[in-house]
Amino acid sequence: MEQELIAEHVENNVQRKKMAKQEKEVKEPKKEISLYDLPGVGAATAEKLIASGYTDLMSIATAPPSELIDATGMGDALAKKLIAIARSSLEMGFETGEELLKKREQVIKFTTGSQALDTLLGGGIETGAITECFGEFGSGKTQIGHTMAVRVQKQIPGAIVVYIDTENTFRPERIIQIAEAEGMDPKEALQNIKVARAFNSDHQMLLGEKVEDLIKKQNLNVKLVVVDSLTAHFRAEYIGRGTLAERQQKINRHMRDLSRLGFLNNVCVYVTNQVMSRPDMFFGDPTAAIGGHIVGHASTFRIYLRKGKKGTRVAKLIDSPSLPEGEATFSVETGGLKDV
Ligand code: GTP
Ligand code: MG
């Protein structure tokens, strides 16, 4: 009996691999080589790679060897060899300025509801990039996330929003209020937001990796991914100097995943970040973003948010590839972000 079951299990596995291979061939007729053709990669290893999100050669070409080793248990030499083969088969690396301009033309800018903030951001929050908002508690980081979750749907009807909530601050009621203010169907707006509560930093990282499945496997038109907050779990879990390097390494990997997700799928990634007090700083702004330069370098746009006069909010653009630094004042209202 037991042996029969094992035999059946083995047979099923063989069938599954065959089907996976055929499916792969049907889906990607043009690609010259697929995962399954990589030397040293059997069906089992290919499946492990796919299960870990390495579904195509591009994802292997851009992965560090250690991640392939973690995913499959393969040796260091093989991992490096696979990456080299994937790289050489992809003609990656250089694009002409013209090609990049074409890519830039596909970038969508989602408006925020405040013209002042849009102007500061060069038109709105962009797809293909990470926009990071950092600031003290109550400065409006979460409210921007809620507002964008609705506005993205207004700009692209039917667009899907993924909301990774680490602090249990996602409020459907706020979505309803903002959608109503925008003249949208609140029920539909809620249906198009996929909320996932992340219980710890590893869970958060896993959720980040799973977004690609929604796009590739479920064919969802994901246009915005919110991670609110990016750093809270990491901050709580890795305390003390000794664990700082590990924390930074993990945040780094998480940011890289998000960045790749945004870039390869033309998705807008919005992350929030707290500030930590810097009692050692007496001059200038005594605050610094958690995660420091690791988060900062991976974000394409960084906005520092603070409370302004009479309940307003002041956004300062800290870092951007092509925009001048500057400030914008807006307010958070029941209907979302508005100019003052
Ligand atoms: P932390 O997550 O604690 O770091 O703060 P945050 O930056 O995410 O702050 P959040 O976005 O939650 O901002 C909270 C503030 O938004 C509140 O203090 C209110 O001023 C404002 N706010 C939230 N909801 C509403 C609303 O329904 N109407 C209005 N007018 N303001 C709101
Ligand atoms: Mg918040």
Side-chain angles (χ1 to χ4, degrees):
M1 183 63 190
E2 199 178 319
Q3 267 170 353
E4 260 172 44
L5 277 180
I6 292 172
E8 193 186 320
H9 179 72
V10 170
E11 174 60 17
N12 278 347
N13 260 352
V14 171
Q15 285 299 337
R16 205 151 41 87
K17 280 170 197 163
K18 266 192 202 150
M19 277 165 66
K21 187 168 179 179
Q22 279 162 0
E23 199 181 316
K24 201 79 196 159
E25 280 161 0
V26 173
K27 261 195 209 152
E28 295 172 327
K30 271 181 247 128
K31 266 214 186 109
E32 283 181 7
I33 66 171
S34 83
L35 277 189
Y36 289 86
D37 305 319
L38 289 171
V41 174
T45 307
E47 286 208 348
K48 277 186 199 158
L49 285 169
I50 292 168
S52 304
Y54 299 99
T55 50
D56 55 17
L57 290 182
M58 177 60 96
S59 58
I60 290 182
T62 55
S66 60
E67 283 176 19
L68 297 189
I69 294 167
D70 283 353
T72 60
M74 68 174 60
D76 185 59
L78 179 59
K80 284 181 180 153
K81 189 171 147 198
L82 293 186
I83 292 168
I85 294 171
R87 286 183 178 182
S88 64
S89 71
L90 276 175
E91 270 186 59
M92 54 186 276
F94 298 100
E95 284 178 298
T96 64
E98 201 184 5
E99 281 164 340
L100 273 178
L101 186 66
K102 234 186 209 152
K103 253 193 199 152
R104 289 285 307 158
E105 281 165 6
Q106 285 165 11
V107 167
I108 305 161
K109 295 182 186 201
F110 292 113
T111 55
T112 61
S114 155
Q115 275 184 20
L117 186 57
D118 292 345
T119 306
L120 181 74
L121 296 173
I125 298 181
E126 283 191 12
T127 57
I130 299 182
T131 299
E132 173 202 351
C133 204
F134 68 102
E136 61 172 326
F137 67 93
S139 56
K141 305 178 294 289
T142 296
Q143 293 305 314
I144 294 181
H146 281 69
T147 303
M148 295 318 294
V150 174
R151 293 192 64 91
V152 160
Q153 300 185 49
K154 188 172 187 187
Q155 210 164 314
I156 300 185
I160 300 294
V161 174
V162 174
Y163 205 109
I164 300 177
D165 182 13
T166 75
E167 302 190 292
N168 202 13
T169 51
F170 178 80
R171 292 288 174 272
E173 303 88 302
R174 289 291 292 131
I175 298 296
I176 293 174
Q177 289 171 337
I178 298 168
E180 276 172 352
E182 295 289 354
M184 296 162 63
D185 177 1
K187 207 175 148 204
E188 206 174 298
L190 279 174
Q191 272 167 355
N192 289 338
I193 303 175
K194 312 272 174 227
V195 185
R197 181 81 207 282
F199 294 103
N200 56 51
S201 64
D202 285 318
H203 188 202
Q204 177 183 337
M205 289 171 75
L206 182 68
L207 289 169
E209 290 170 26
K210 289 285 168 206
V211 178
E212 196 135 50
D213 283 355
L214 297 180
I215 299 170
K216 298 246 163 87
K217 293 189 186 154
Q218 297 190 34
N219 248 328
L220 294 182
N221 185 23
V222 176
K223 277 290 151 242
L224 170 67
V225 176
V226 177
V227 184
D228 183 21
S229 123
L230 178 80
T231 44
H233 280 317
F234 291 97
R235 184 189 203 185
E237 290 165 28
Y238 297 88
I239 303 160
R241 287 261 159 225
T243 59
L244 201 64
E246 197 189 345
R247 181 185 88 176
Q248 293 302 78
Q249 208 176 11
K250 283 205 157 178
I251 294 182
N252 190 16
R253 173 159 171 216
H254 188 37
M255 288 299 274
R256 219 182 29 225
D257 285 346
L258 293 172
S259 168
R260 195 161 61 183
L261 173 77
F263 182 73
L264 294 180
N265 302 287
N266 201 26
V267 164
C268 172
V269 181
Y270 171 74
V271 304
T272 70
N273 194 357
Q274 282 106 340
V275 291
M276 51 185 169
S277 304
R278 292 277 301 273
D280 53 323
M281 274 180 63
F282 293 99
F283 301 104
D285 195 333
T287 54
I290 309 277
H293 65 278
I294 297 267
V295 177
H297 283 317
S299 305
T300 321
F301 300 93
R302 302 194 85 192
I303 304 165
Y304 173 56
L305 212 58
R306 63 183 161 82
K307 293 172 190 162
K309 284 183 196 132
K310 291 184 195 155
T312 60
R313 300 289 188 272
V314 183
K316 184 175 181 186
L317 193 64
I318 302 288
D319 208 355
S320 124
S322 60
L323 297 168
E325 292 193 353
E327 286 194 345
T329 307
F330 61 94
S331 67
V332 175
E333 298 186 6
T334 308
L337 307 187
K338 296 281 175 290
D339 279 319
V340 274

